[in-house]
Amino acid sequence: MIYSHIFSTIVITDAVKHGVNPLLNGTSEEQTNWDLSSAFFFAGTVVTTIGYGTIAPKTTGGQIFCLFYALFGIPLNLIVLGQVGKYLSRWSERFGECLRRNGMGKRKAKILTVIYFLVAGVIVFLGIPPLAFSQIEQWTYTEGVYYAFISLSTIGFGDYVVGSGAKGTHPFVGYRALVYFWIIFGLAWLSLLINLLISVLKDTEKKIEEDLHHIRRHKKEHSNQDLTMEPMTSAEEKNSTK
């Protein structure tokens, strides 16, 4: 019994490594992990550097192509993320300007903008998608949130991957491609949030430096006043009378 279980585990592991999902039923074409949607998803995990590890090229030609694809694809993906981040930054700037027009201070408006985009992003990218994952992948909501965070943080352990879960059913066509676009916008949101946090921290650092400068200047002025108000010594009094 034990040997049979070990043999089954080895066979399943080897099948997954060669791009076959043994957990699905149907024809051999339905069982491959290298359909168009899955291949698109794999390409996305390469350029985003998530790298779940559940799908990987096994042939020499595929590995060499993947090498050059990643070499050029990762910088291009960063450009795409930068462009998406610019659009999100414009929205954040308009939101901050709207707050300032309503009489709010610049620093307070920045902090409120960070809070707004943090809460909105958590709902859109970490709160709602796990509901879809729990229905399609048959995961619990906690597992869906865990997968969302591991993916958007580009950690990519590979213990949970859309479309290949142990309890998942065969998803609709384009499901993995749709998940890839969710990852792209999620990464752009994280990039925007990090930039907003850096901006707030820089303003805080500048404010602390200005306060320290005012304190030092205030102390220096007080020390100069103390020197001018010191009583004259007897020698100084004699010199002044002469």
Side-chain angles (χ1 to χ4, degrees), residues 39-179:
F40 187 86
F41 182 71
F42 166 75
T45 60
V46 171
V47 296
T48 55
T49 68
I50 295 176
Y52 293 111
T54 53
I55 307 177
K58 293 300 176 183
T59 63
T60 303
Q63 290 171 347
I64 293 174
F65 175 79
C66 185
L67 189 151
F68 285 100
Y69 169 72
L71 187 63
F72 291 98
I74 292 173
L76 290 175
N77 183 68
L78 292 176
I79 294 173
V80 172
L81 287 177
Q83 292 299 319
V84 176
K86 282 183 180 179
Y87 286 111
L88 293 177
S89 296
R90 290 174 187 172
W91 291 347
S92 67
E93 289 173 0
R94 290 173 184 173
F95 182 75
E97 289 175 359
C98 180
L99 294 176
R100 288 194 293 271
R101 282 197 300 267
N102 291 329
M104 189 174 292
K106 183 179 179 181
R107 175 176 167 75
K108 191 175 180 180
K110 274 190 175 182
I111 294 175
L112 194 59
T113 301
V114 172
I115 294 173
Y116 172 77
F117 276 90
L118 174 63
V119 174
V122 167
I123 294 173
V124 173
F125 296 107
L126 295 178
I128 297 176
L131 294 174
F133 297 148
S134 62
Q135 295 296 320
I136 299 172
E137 302 289 342
Q138 300 301 310
W139 295 339
T140 64
Y141 185 77
T142 304
E143 290 172 336
V145 172
Y146 169 77
Y147 167 76
F149 176 79
I150 292 300
S151 297
L152 296 184
S153 60
T154 68
I155 296 173
F157 288 127
D159 49 351
Y160 289 89
V161 182
V162 291
S164 61
K167 294 183 289 183
T169 56
H170 191 61
F172 57 87
V173 177
Y175 168 61
R176 283 186 165 184
L178 186 63
V179 171

